[in-house]
Every structure is written in structure tokens, then in C-alpha cells.
Amino acid sequence: MWVKKNFWKVPGRYALLYLYHLFVLGAWRAGRVGRMWAHLRCEVYRFWEYKTFEMRLRGGAMKRIPDSPGKPDPRVLQYD
């Protein structure tokens, strides 16, 4: 858990993440496709982090979605 908590503070974290996906998860065995997958997976994580930062900066981050909007379907058995 310590690694997950502090990983986002490490400089060069996306290069480390790329190497993790490439060698630890074994994407290198797929050749060019594996390298592209590892790279794109790191880009997804980078964009998530960037988008979260941008949302917090603009003040519209993480609005809670209602758990169950509306009335339940009467045909479905409901448990309390």
C-alpha cells in the first residue's frame, strides 16, 4: 500500500510504470504490440492524473453521483 500511496510523488513515475508493464507484466513478449500497449497504458494513467488536477483547479472535481435515483422497478424483489 505504501508504494501506491507514494508512487504519484516519484519523479519519472511514468517511465517506471512503462518498465513495469513491459517487463513485470510481460508485455515485451508480444513484441511491438506489447510495447504500444505498455505505452498507451501509461498515457491513460497520465491523462487521469492530469484531468483530476485540472478538475480540482477549476473547482468542479468529484461531484457525487446519487446511488439510486428514482423509484425501483416494481417487478424486481427489493431487499432492505
Side-chain angles (χ1 to χ4, degrees), residues 2-3 5 10-11 14-15 20 22-23 31 37 42 48 50 54 60 63-64 70 74 77:
W2 181 87
V3 174
K5 184 176 179 182
V10 176
Y14 294 109
Y20 170 78
L22 195 64
F23 294 115
W37 176 84
C42 294
W48 282 347
Y50 177 71
E54 183 183 22
K63 294 197 177 177
R64 182 135 171 95
L77 180 62

Side-chain angles (χ1 to χ4, degrees), residues 5 8 14 19 26 28 30 33 41 44 46 48 53 65 70 74 80:
K5 184 176 179 182
W8 306 109
Y14 294 109
L19 293 174
W28 63 273
V33 174
R41 191 69 188 155
V44 167
R46 189 174 67 86
W48 282 347
F53 170 75
I65 299 171
D80 291 325

Side-chain angles (χ1 to χ4, degrees), residues 12-80:
R13 61 189 166 266
Y14 294 109
L16 293 172
L17 193 60
Y18 173 75
L19 293 174
Y20 170 78
H21 284 118
L22 195 64
F23 294 115
V24 176
L25 295 182
W28 63 273
R29 288 177 273 177
R32 182 178 178 203
V33 174
R35 289 192 311 270
M36 289 189 313
W37 176 84
H39 175 73
L40 290 174
R41 191 69 188 155
C42 294
E43 288 296 310
V44 167
Y45 286 134
R46 189 174 67 86
F47 282 127
W48 282 347
E49 183 180 3
Y50 177 71
K51 189 62 177 178
T52 304
F53 170 75
E54 183 183 22
M55 290 172 67
R56 286 186 181 138
L57 186 67
R58 295 180 185 263
M62 313 299 182
K63 294 197 177 177
R64 182 135 171 95
I65 299 171
D67 290 333
S68 56
K71 295 181 181 178
D73 190 345
R75 298 171 293 178
V76 178
L77 180 62
Q78 300 294 318
Y79 295 101
D80 291 325

